Amino acid sequence: VQLVESGGDLVRPGSFLVLSCAASGITLDGYSIGWFRQAPGKEREGVSCFDRRDGRTHYADSVKGRFTFSKDDAKNMAYLQMGNLKPEDTFVYVCAAARWGCPHGTNTAFEYSGRGTQVTVSS
């Protein structure tokens, strides 16, 4: 199983960015899909969790209204649209998947995760 993220970049505050997650070895349609972010010396932070059981997406308060999860089952890909980016959104963003739902919202543990893509927001 592989999850490969892409789309990270160095952007200015207020920018818009779309991260992609390409899956192989699993069919994302049968999985709950999450995004979390992490940085050296900082605690991992859940960003979103799409629950395959009811189709709902949970978002962390810090990104609600700015970030949007989506997926394309035909392409076996997931996305995270990130709007109005702020310096505090600077992290490595990681895509993850699990066969269960999102029992702990954005803090759900996942079976599989990628290596991440760096997003840096700076003026």
Side-chain angles (χ1 to χ4, degrees):
V1 175
Q2 270 199 318
L3 298 173
V4 180
E5 304 88 344
S6 61
D9 204 350
L10 168 62
V11 297
R12 295 190 181 279
S15 295
F16 176 84
L17 203 59
V18 179
L19 305 182
S20 300
C21 173
S24 59
I26 59 172
T27 302
L28 287 181
D29 188 29
Y31 284 75
S32 294
I33 305 164
W35 286 91
F36 62 87
R37 58 193 189 182
Q38 56 191 16
K42 293 186 180 179
E43 199 169 315
R44 176 181 130 171
E45 179 182 353
V47 174
S48 68
C49 187
F50 166 80
D51 195 322
R52 69 169 188 85
R53 300 170 303 176
D54 59 14
R56 288 182 58 204
T57 303
H58 304 264
Y59 294 98
D61 287 342
S62 58
V63 307
K64 206 170 288 184
R66 299 188 298 123
F67 290 12
T68 303
F69 170 83
S70 63
K71 65 188 183 89
D72 186 331
D73 291 337
K75 294 182 178 179
N76 208 29
M77 292 192 66
Y79 306 93
L80 184 68
Q81 299 176 61
M82 310 163 67
N84 190 22
L85 282 162
K86 305 175 181 180
E88 52 263 41
D89 293 319
T90 296
F91 284 97
V92 172
Y93 284 75
V94 181
C95 170
R99 283 169 286 184
W100 45 80
C102 303
H104 303 293
T106 58
N107 293 319
T108 294
F110 297 93
E111 290 181 86
Y112 308 108
S113 60
R115 293 189 175 184
T117 185
Q118 177 71 47
V119 173
T120 302
V121 185
S122 175
S123 55

